[in-house]
Amino acid sequence: ALLLASGGGTTLWTRARDEYLRLQGDSFLTTVGNIMTNDFSKLVASSNLAHWMETLAIIATYSNREYQALCEQLAERLEKEKFDIRSAVICYICAKNFPKTVNIWSNTHVASQGSQKLALQDLVEKMAVLQDATKFNQADPLFSQKLTKYAEILANSGRLTAAMRYLCLLAGIGITPQTPNS
């Protein structure tokens, strides 16, 4: 049927190809069909989450303008269906979803070596790198709170230059840092 359809024009070929792929029921051919028809949303929605990295690689390779939205869709599935927060964070980072990533990091961050200050430092450093990488320039209350708290710790320990460097990250997104007493 595919050979005959190839001689019948583009419309016939497309219809025959799509019907062939639909009838096969093979996961590999279904994936190939989704790539051929640019139906990446369907690919992400129906992909096996045990192979989420392959799905991410496919959308990174073949999708264009939809990439961030598809990464977001994959992250949501990983978070809600598989309860795989670590993998979801990778997809949220690919989607450049700064608020969601920061929220997950903040909720899952465990104190490093029993020190809340070291844990906060680690969290703020990761958030600062992600903010720069994603070019995030909007207000985010959680980011502001953690950054201000960390800057206060630095300032109280005499590291004023470092504290100001972190506070400048807030000024870059149009937020005036508030001290806890104000």
Side-chain angles (χ1 to χ4, degrees):
L2 290 173
L3 280 174
L4 293 173
S6 68
T10 306
T11 305
L12 183 58
W13 161 250
T14 302
R15 285 181 43 212
R17 176 200 67 198
D18 293 347
E19 187 63 20
Y20 173 77
L21 292 171
R22 186 184 67 78
L23 291 174
Q24 291 308 304
D26 178 67
S27 64
F28 175 74
L29 287 177
T30 300
T31 300
V32 170
N34 288 330
I35 294 169
M36 292 173 69
T37 60
N38 290 322
D39 195 354
F40 298 107
S41 184
K42 184 176 180 182
L43 172 74
V44 172
S46 63
S47 66
N48 181 345
L49 293 178
H51 304 290
W52 69 270
M53 287 186 273
E54 288 84 352
T55 303
L56 183 60
I58 290 168
I59 61 177
T61 303
Y62 297 107
S63 70
N64 294 321
R65 289 172 257 127
E66 308 169 45
Y67 176 69
Q68 289 181 353
L70 293 167
C71 288
E72 183 92 21
Q73 181 183 354
L74 183 58
E76 287 173 3
R77 285 196 61 215
L78 285 164
E79 186 178 11
K80 293 175 181 158
E81 294 175 33
K82 195 174 181 204
F83 307 106
D84 186 352
I85 302 301
R86 188 180 198 127
S87 301
V89 165
I90 293 170
C91 293
Y92 282 127
I93 291 171
C94 291
K96 295 184 177 182
N97 188 331
F98 180 83
K100 186 68 177 180
T101 305
V102 166
N103 186 38
I104 291 173
W105 278 344
S106 181
N107 289 334
T108 59
H109 206 72
V110 179
S112 305
Q113 303 166 353
S115 169
Q116 291 295 321
K117 289 179 183 177
L118 287 176
L120 181 62
Q121 176 184 2
D122 184 53
L123 177 63
V124 168
E125 287 175 354
K126 287 192 316 190
M127 291 187 313
V129 169
L130 182 63
Q131 179 200 27
D132 186 52
T134 61
K135 307 295 184 227
F136 185 79
N137 61 359
Q138 300 166 15
D140 183 77
L142 183 60
F143 178 60
S144 300
Q145 175 207 6
K146 298 293 184 183
L147 201 87
T148 303
K149 184 176 179 182
Y150 182 61
E152 180 184 0
I153 291 169
L154 289 172
N156 288 339
S157 65
R159 299 183 60 205
L160 298 176
T161 304
M164 283 307 297
R165 203 170 305 143
Y166 279 102
L167 290 175
C168 286
L169 294 175
L170 294 177
I173 58 176
I175 296 174
T176 306
Q178 300 277 321
T179 59
N181 299 334
S182 58

